[in-house]
Amino acid sequence: MAVDTPMKTDAPRVGHRPGGTGPGRRRRPGRIWVKAAVTLLLVIEIYPLLWMFVTSLKSNSDYLNNSTWSLPTTWEWGNYREAWTTGHIGLYIQNSLLAVLPSLVLILLLGTAAGFALQIMVWKGRSLTLLVFLAGMMVPSQMILLPLFTVYFQAGLSGTLWPLILTYTGTGLPLTVFMMATYYKTVPRELFEAATVDGASILRSFWTISIPMVRNALLTVGLVQFFFIWNDLLIALTFTNSQDLRTIQVGLLNFTGDFGATQYGPLFAAICINVFGTLVIYLFLNQKVMKGLTGGAVKG
């Protein structure tokens, strides 16, 4: 006598969670550790900014007599007005922009043209020329300050912002040329060959074909060079010989009195203006830079 038995299937029952005590739950402690690590990193990054902002609202006596971690007894919002007017932060920001923006334009223009010539154009000695540019990255900037100071003085450029512009351009070109030459390797040469067949000159191929393709790289390199130049102290301190030419990094030293007395409230207010201003620029351009790094030149 045959007995009907239910057919065994491998399909999971309704409401049954396969591996309920298996890998799905074993991964949960790992996720907790990741979240804890991210939270710790956020605290490490954000807490100094909050402490700096709170300190910028303290009076000088409050900063010296009370705990460093305590809140202000009186919130001195006038520290920002004093930093902007008495501390001349507005003038220092203007000088920084007048030195950084022309340098950045020259770095991107010359660096992109050099990268195009080294990777797209075919000529004898281009590999050696690239090595010469790379050798410029190995020269410490401290070694060239004294010779440059002598050259600028003899050329009559002292007392202007031209020494800063020329020095920033020269020190920023090696890295820019290397990065742009590396990025041009991803651009298919067939596009330029087709443009040449159609009658386009080298200059037209550079401006109308290569520049639109490397605009993401230009944004990335430009942001990196901007922060390098904006945060420079050594070069600006060497070539600025008057208060009217000080950049913001050099101007922050102006809050120290003749006898070593420091106005801590306006000083931290000026630092906040500098830090949060550049932070806003980075947050605004961060996603575009990431898209530029992950995006290809041509989508097939």
Side-chain angles (χ1 to χ4, degrees):
M1 180 177 178
V3 180
D4 293 334
T5 58
M7 183 179 297
K8 294 183 179 181
T9 61
D10 295 333
R13 297 190 300 271
V14 177
H16 177 67
R17 186 177 180 181
T21 58
R25 295 196 176 184
R26 284 197 298 267
R27 286 196 298 266
R28 189 172 182 181
R31 295 177 181 177
I32 294 176
W33 281 109
V34 170
K35 292 180 179 179
V38 172
T39 303
L40 179 62
L41 291 176
L42 288 176
V43 171
I44 293 175
E45 294 292 334
I46 295 177
Y47 183 76
L49 299 177
L50 294 176
W51 176 84
M52 181 175 59
F53 174 71
V54 172
T55 306
S56 68
L57 300 176
K58 291 183 178 181
S59 62
N60 219 38
S61 59
D62 192 4
Y63 180 84
L64 294 175
N65 298 327
N66 297 332
S67 173
T68 308
W69 315 104
S70 62
L71 294 176
T73 54
T74 56
W75 299 79
E76 299 289 343
W77 294 97
N79 289 337
Y80 285 87
R81 182 176 62 253
E82 184 176 354
W84 190 267
T85 57
T86 307
H88 306 291
I89 290 300
L91 175 63
Y92 300 150
I93 292 177
Q94 176 183 342
N95 291 335
S96 294
L97 291 176
L98 291 177
V100 171
L101 295 183
S103 305
L104 199 58
V105 172
L106 290 175
I107 288 173
L108 294 179
L109 178 61
L110 298 178
T112 305
F116 177 84
L118 291 171
Q119 289 297 333
I120 303 302
M121 300 175 62
V122 179
W123 48 282
K124 186 177 180 179
R126 60 176 183 169
S127 299
L128 179 61
T129 305
L130 180 59
L131 291 178
V132 172
F133 276 106
L134 295 180
M137 300 172 59
M138 306 176 187
V139 179
S141 58
Q142 295 85 351
M143 295 179 59
I144 63 176
L145 292 182
L146 183 58
L148 287 178
F149 185 86
T150 305
V151 171
Y152 295 146
F153 179 78
Q154 294 177 352
L157 297 178
S158 299
T160 65
L161 291 175
W162 279 109
L164 297 182
I165 296 174
L166 296 177
T167 306
Y168 289 150
T169 303
T171 55
L173 272 178
L175 178 61
T176 303
V177 171
F178 171 72
M179 296 181 68
M180 295 307 301
T182 303
Y183 196 87
Y184 268 119
K185 288 183 178 180
T186 64
V187 180
R189 293 191 178 183
E190 291 78 5
L191 297 176
F192 301 100
E193 294 174 358
T196 303
V197 171
D198 291 338
S201 62
I202 292 296
L203 290 178
R204 186 175 181 182
S205 298
F206 173 71
W207 287 109
T208 62
I209 298 178
S210 71
I211 294 297
M213 286 187 170
V214 299
R215 61 180 181 272
N216 295 324
L218 285 174
L219 181 61
T220 304
V221 176
L223 187 63
V224 172
Q225 293 291 352
F226 172 80
F227 285 117
F228 280 164
I229 300 174
W230 184 271
N231 295 323
D232 168 69
L233 176 62
L234 180 61
I235 296 176
L237 188 61
T238 302
F239 297 119
T240 53
N241 52 10
S242 66
Q243 180 178 351
D244 295 335
L245 296 176
R246 290 174 178 171
T247 61
I248 188 170
Q249 307 301 335
V250 180
L252 292 176
L253 303 177
N254 194 40
F255 289 92
T256 301
D258 295 335
F259 301 99
T262 303
Q263 300 297 325
Y264 291 101
L267 173 60
F268 280 98
I271 295 175
C272 285
I273 294 174
N274 180 29
V275 171
F276 288 111
T278 54
L279 183 61
V280 168
I281 296 176
Y282 174 76
L283 293 178
F284 178 74
L285 297 177
N286 181 36
Q287 294 299 323
K288 295 183 179 180
V289 171
M290 296 303 297
K291 291 179 181 179
L293 292 174
T294 57
V298 177
K299 294 183 179 179

